[in-house]
Amino acid sequence: MILLTHNMLASPMKEASKQLHLKIECEEKVEKEQEYNADFLNRMIERIDWNSFCAAAQSLDVGNGLPESKEQVDSSNEEQMKKIHHALMEVDVVKGSLVCTETGRKFPIAAGIPNMLLNQDEL
Amino acid sequence: MRKETLSLYAFDFSHQPTQLAMSMRLSRKFRKATGLHIPYKRPNDPAAETRHLYCANLPEHDSSQDWRSHPLFPVCSEFGEVETMFLVPYKPVAYVTFVDEGSARKACSFLRESGLSGKLVHVQYAEACEKRPGEPNPAIPCTSLSKDLVVEGLILKEDFLSPEESEDTLNQLDELEWESSLSRRVQHFGFTFDYATRRVNTLKTRAFPPFLLRIAQRALREKLLLFEPDQCTVNEYQPGQGIRSHVDTHSAFEDGILSVSLGSSVVMEFRSPDGLSKNVQLKPGSALSMQGESRYKWAHGISNRKSDLVDGKFVQRCRRVSMTFRKIKTSPCKCEFPEQCDSQLAPIPKPRTVQYTDGTELDPLTLLHHADGDKEPEIERRHVHEVYDTIASHFSETRYKPWPKVAAFLQGLPFGSIVADVGCGNGRYLACAKHIAVIALDRCKGLVEHATEKAVLHHLSTPARRLNAIEELLRLVKVGGRVLIYAWAKEQGSESRFHFSNSDEMVPWSLPTTDGKDNVHVQRYCHLYVEDELPRLCEGISYASVERSYWDCSNWCVELIKVKERNE
């Protein structure tokens, strides 16, 4: 699971507000190089929740040098853009959990894939 | 008809024994060109004496003949029992297989010394070479083998069109527009035939041009057609292309189907349910009329080959165009062949029960009655989720090719779109388009691990759950966003191996076992969608509009656009 994916996820618990992002508890991560495409990255930046992205990046130790808000993103600054690219798409959490902050329910991540399935009694 | 004579093989062998190695190579080339397999090869050990003899420089023979009539047979039989012989088409070459090596050795020295009918014969030992798995069936049936078999109601009129008329017709067809949505190019006149539903679409029509009308009128006069045709399908076949063996749907067309061939000769195979088979050469300009038993009981098809075997000779195929004239039927069929008849064969589902591990045994479809109101109905848990967990890796192996229309949908999305692939299976669409971000999800763990779209909707057991699933998909997208839904169709295409009579069915999945023993069958619950079912399901959703609805790859598909927020 890369942070771009994480940014699209919300807790499936029925008690959860669906507004908050899930907290990442990372046990293992790998860094994989992805092709850098500035236009594509700009389009992704437009769509993501910036605060959640920064918080998640911090928890994975790749948050350094990221602009504090979307407005501060300077697409002409390639060094900054490459940092965003790296944090958003190149860091893959392969093992760990996603935690619903409202209910405490943990969703395990295995082989890079978060299992968001609920048990029968949680439906 | 003896069994041996049915298996004719082709071989391209030079008859100089010293060139044996080279001819082996040639024969491979020949096989590649004709799709044929070589049943013999050079022995690994050149000094080895086997029970198979390669004999060249023989008198000319007709390879479609019974090998027992070959002059070599009585000579060889003097030295022992001949198990089989193999006459190579075109070439003065034959193989003789004896029951034992001793007989082969004696025959070999005799032939080397005395020759055959005063002519020198080159003899070498050969080895039998079995058909390798995955290779096409080696035997090309020759027309001469079934020459005397009569198919009731089948009329072949060669020279129905003169060569000039054939050429003229072909030119006129080529001036019109060909449709190329199928693997072969087609043209339709009169009512259109819908390959999706195997029904005729009575709404769309395109008038017969005068040259087709003239042909139809002539066929009527000559009693090759029994009714005035109102539908004509023109198919183009390139060498190597054929058509699956089929019986034209009884209830869709009246008796009397006419096929006129243009351009190239081809061999059409007729098969009866009793296992009989007749191969008929359709020459250019010929008209083949299927009436009565030949239309209702016999299936007809054309093998995917580049050449055919006609009276012992290979005939290369070129571009062939066939014109099929039919009259649409508007009432149920009342033919005398109920077993092949869709109107008379009532679709009675066989009772199928499943033994569960807790010892209960029941028809899984009865679980459907209890599905309403359940958050995760038992039928879905037992016959969808648990099944996919079991078959994940095998399912994944068999689903690797992205469907063209789905790939086109993804490729047509605006740059930088974010896409959720719900029910991604093994993720075969993840890499389809580089300009979009795909987030793939699936209920089955096994499948996701395999890659990181297969429809989901056909595994949901109640209308409420199906509608809810569509609304969930719409929730994911922004206003203006698109949702593409694929769900299995009750009407399966001709390429499908499934046939569904009911809207809810248990579809077995056959899983090969690792120990190579009998396959394990698991039952998947599927709801099969009928035409318009998906758009109707979406009608109740006020905040989305149906952009298009179509049939593709045996699925009914709908593309929705979210026009406003749900609560607006």
Side-chain angles (χ1 to χ4, degrees), chain B residues 540-559:
Chain B
I541 306 173
S542 61
Y543 53 98
S545 70
V546 174
E547 185 73 359
R548 56 193 181 121
S549 161
Y550 59 98
W551 184 97
D552 179 35
C553 299
S554 295
N555 281 256
W556 284 110
C557 321
V558 64
E559 190 178 325

Side-chain angles (χ1 to χ4, degrees), chain B residues 39-301:
Chain B
Y40 294 92
K41 61 174 185 176
R42 191 163 48 122
N44 287 334
D45 171 9
E49 292 180 358
T50 67
R51 62 190 185 97
H52 312 284
L53 295 182
Y54 158 84
C55 307
N57 201 27
L58 300 171
E60 242 178 65
H61 60 238
D62 174 355
S63 61
S64 66
Q65 272 181 352
D66 183 358
W67 49 269
R68 287 174 181 83
S69 65
H70 194 280
L72 200 58
F73 176 65
V75 177
C76 287
S77 298
E78 301 237 329
F79 301 96
E81 198 187 327
V82 175
E83 190 180 287
T84 185
M85 268 175 65
F86 175 77
L87 312 182
V88 178
Y90 288 137
K91 297 275 172 186
V93 174
Y95 287 85
V96 185
T97 296
F98 288 89
V99 172
D100 62 298
E101 284 164 21
S103 312
R105 192 165 56 236
K106 277 183 252 165
C108 178
S109 36
F110 174 82
L111 287 168
R112 277 178 178 165
E113 207 163 292
S114 316
L116 187 69
S117 327
K119 215 174 139 197
L120 193 71
V121 178
H122 298 293
V123 189
Q124 290 254 313
Y125 289 99
E127 248 175 48
C129 177
E130 295 300 317
K131 178 181 177 291
R132 268 168 274 174
E135 280 190 15
N137 190 341
I140 289 193
C142 181
T143 51
S144 62
L145 298 172
S146 53
K147 208 155 37 189
D148 301 330
L149 184 66
V150 175
V151 178
E152 210 69 53
L154 189 69
I155 310 167
L156 176 65
K157 190 165 167 38
E158 291 184 352
D159 309 317
F160 175 70
L161 296 181
S162 70
E164 297 75 38
E165 280 174 304
S166 302
E167 198 189 323
D168 186 49
T169 309
L170 200 51
N171 289 339
Q172 300 218 45
L173 285 170
D174 276 334
E175 278 171 25
L176 300 169
E177 198 180 322
W178 289 91
E179 286 168 37
S180 38
S181 57
L182 286 172
S183 57
R184 54 176 191 272
R185 297 202 300 165
V186 292
Q187 290 193 33
H188 294 284
F189 300 96
F191 297 121
T192 318
F193 189 72
D194 187 347
Y195 288 92
T197 54
R198 290 187 220 169
R199 289 272 153 200
V200 169
N201 185 336
T202 44
L203 297 174
K204 278 185 241 159
T205 58
R206 176 179 171 200
F208 278 40
F211 69 96
L212 281 184
L213 272 179
R214 275 200 301 277
I215 294 171
Q217 289 304 330
R218 190 190 304 176
L220 272 172
R221 279 198 305 276
E222 297 186 17
K223 303 270 185 289
L224 296 170
L225 279 171
L226 304 172
F227 297 89
E228 189 170 348
D230 51 12
Q231 200 254 339
C232 176
T233 304
V234 180
N235 284 291
E236 180 190 55
Y237 297 92
Q238 296 296 349
Q241 280 186 320
I243 185 163
R244 203 175 62 117
S245 191
H246 66 283
V247 177
D248 287 65
T249 313
H250 283 205
S251 61
F253 306 104
E254 293 286 359
D255 195 5
I257 293 172
L258 180 75
S259 168
V260 180
S261 299
L262 301 169
S264 167
S265 150
V266 78
V267 169
M268 180 175 269
E269 188 192 16
F270 284 82
R271 280 190 218 165
S272 78
D274 330 313
L276 293 173
S277 147
K278 182 179 177 70
N279 290 282
V280 182
Q281 185 193 22
L282 308 181
K283 289 184 180 161
S286 70
L288 181 84
S289 174
M290 290 174 266
Q291 302 178 13
E293 193 173 313
S294 69
R295 180 259 181 272
Y296 289 119
K297 189 176 164 189
W298 290 70
H300 58 281

